[in-house]
Amino acid sequence: MYAEVALHRSTPQTFTYAVPFHLWDQVGLGQMVKVPFRTALEAAIVTRVFEEAPEFATKAITEVLDPHPVVTPAQLALAEWLAATYHSSLSNALGLMLPPGITQKSETRYHLLLPDFNADTPTARRLVSLLARRGPLTGQQISQALESTTWKRSLGPLLEAQAVRAEPILMAPRTKPQSVRVVHLNLPAEQIGEVVLHLGRESRRANVLEVLWRQPERACSLAALLDAAGCKKGVINTLQEAEALHLDPTTQRVYLRLTDAETRAMILELRNGFTELAVLQALAGAGGAATL
């Protein structure tokens, strides 16, 4: 079984994809599906379904994004007439039938595979440290955390060395049917304390404390710490004045002086994650779910 689809982008032609067996009873005219296109994933609308195999190799539809068609047969016929009459692409004509924001934007999520990888440049080392601390992140999230850097230039060698893996994804649609919105706590209440370090905004002082706290001996060299945390020595001096750490002037090693509980509390304060923590605690108190 095969399907002809119109990508949600300005392409002059439609494309043919194989329909996997487990999707045979789900794919129909007018449905929005997820398909691989070049190196990314794209949303597309099914314009035709047929049985005869084409004379060329095809990729397979990855997923059905909505169990209900997003355009009716009448809308599909109108889009085909518009495309033929006004010499437009079918994709552009179908776009006139869709509410703004219903399609999904392609993005890339990056996974760190080698936490101890020794990168060549300071920016690459900051990127490795960020992924080690925060887990998988999208390109947009990395840009926000490493603003004013050219982190994408440092990404190529990390991908080639298989220290980082790039995963193409589709972001959630910007518009949804009107409904009652319910927020669910996505982890057991007793694990809230484990995610405290990930709450709030980016803070270089918090990064320094977190990098030190994750070292087996709660200490590391000054040069390695500055690289991993993406900061300058002034940040170290500020934390030393606050008696949060100690810099040995002879060995140039930095030692964390706080207990685990004190470190967590200071990181939370520096990242100003109290609002997010209060939300998680409120959800836990409400049994794990609450309406907005």
Side-chain angles (χ1 to χ4, degrees):
M1 184 174 175
Y2 297 87
E4 190 173 312
V5 305
L7 297 176
H8 190 69
R9 56 163 59 201
S10 296
T11 51
Q13 74 272 26
T14 56
F15 297 87
T16 300
Y17 286 85
V19 180
F21 177 76
H22 68 280
L23 296 180
W24 277 14
D25 60 345
Q26 301 179 42
V27 173
L29 290 180
Q31 283 189 292
M32 186 170 290
V33 295
K34 182 194 299 184
V35 297
F37 186 73
R38 295 174 182 166
T39 60
L41 294 174
E42 297 283 349
I45 296 176
V46 176
T47 61
R48 188 165 70 97
V49 178
F50 55 96
E51 298 289 342
E52 186 178 352
E55 298 178 353
F56 47 85
T58 60
K59 296 181 179 180
I61 291 175
T62 304
E63 180 184 348
V64 175
L65 296 177
D66 193 321
H68 306 289
V70 295
V71 294
T72 65
Q75 288 175 315
L76 181 56
L78 176 59
E80 291 174 340
W81 179 84
L82 286 171
T85 303
Y86 296 100
H87 304 286
S88 171
S89 69
L90 183 57
S91 298
N92 288 341
L94 282 171
L96 300 174
M97 316 290 175
L98 302 176
I102 193 173
T103 56
Q104 296 172 293
K105 179 183 177 183
S106 60
E107 209 356 329
T108 304
R109 181 185 290 127
Y110 297 97
H111 302 256
L112 181 63
L113 303 180
L114 301 176
D116 298 326
F117 184 76
N118 186 20
D120 295 334
T121 66
T123 301
R125 288 192 287 271
R126 285 186 62 186
L127 179 56
V128 170
S129 175
L130 177 68
L131 292 174
R133 290 183 281 113
R134 295 293 183 90
L137 297 174
T138 64
Q140 182 179 7
Q141 291 171 323
I142 295 174
S143 294
Q144 292 174 346
L146 301 181
E147 57 182 354
S148 303
T149 67
T150 54
W151 65 269
K152 291 184 178 180
R153 294 182 182 177
S154 304
L155 185 62
L158 296 178
L159 294 172
E160 291 176 5
Q162 297 185 350
V164 173
R165 176 173 64 87
E167 174 196 10
I169 60 171
L170 285 177
M171 304 298 287
R174 298 191 303 275
T175 59
K176 297 180 180 179
Q178 185 175 3
S179 60
V180 176
R181 301 175 65 187
V182 180
V183 179
H184 294 269
L185 185 62
N186 205 29
L187 75 168
E190 57 270 17
Q191 292 183 12
I192 290 178
E194 299 177 13
V195 302
V196 166
L197 299 183
H198 302 288
L199 303 178
R201 65 196 178 196
E202 185 72 7
S203 164
R204 288 184 172 86
R205 286 181 291 170
N207 291 348
V208 168
L209 294 178
E210 186 176 355
V211 170
L212 278 177
W213 182 73
R214 293 187 182 279
Q215 301 301 313
E217 299 179 357
R218 302 295 193 266
C220 69
S221 70
L222 175 61
L225 180 57
L226 295 179
D227 262 349
C231 67
K232 297 183 179 180
K233 189 179 177 183
V235 177
I236 307 299
N237 295 336
T238 301
L239 289 171
Q240 184 168 232
E241 292 172 1
E243 300 184 350
L245 51 79
H246 171 68
L247 170 61
D248 189 320
T250 304
T251 63
Q252 289 294 290
R253 285 183 62 80
V254 184
Y255 299 85
L256 184 64
R257 300 182 62 181
L258 304 175
T259 65
D260 287 354
E262 290 171 338
T263 302
R264 288 174 175 271
M266 191 167 186
I267 290 175
L268 181 64
E269 180 179 358
L270 291 171
R271 289 186 172 148
N272 196 22
F274 296 107
T275 301
E276 290 90 339
L277 179 60
V279 169
L280 294 179
Q281 292 173 336
L283 285 173
T291 58
L292 289 180

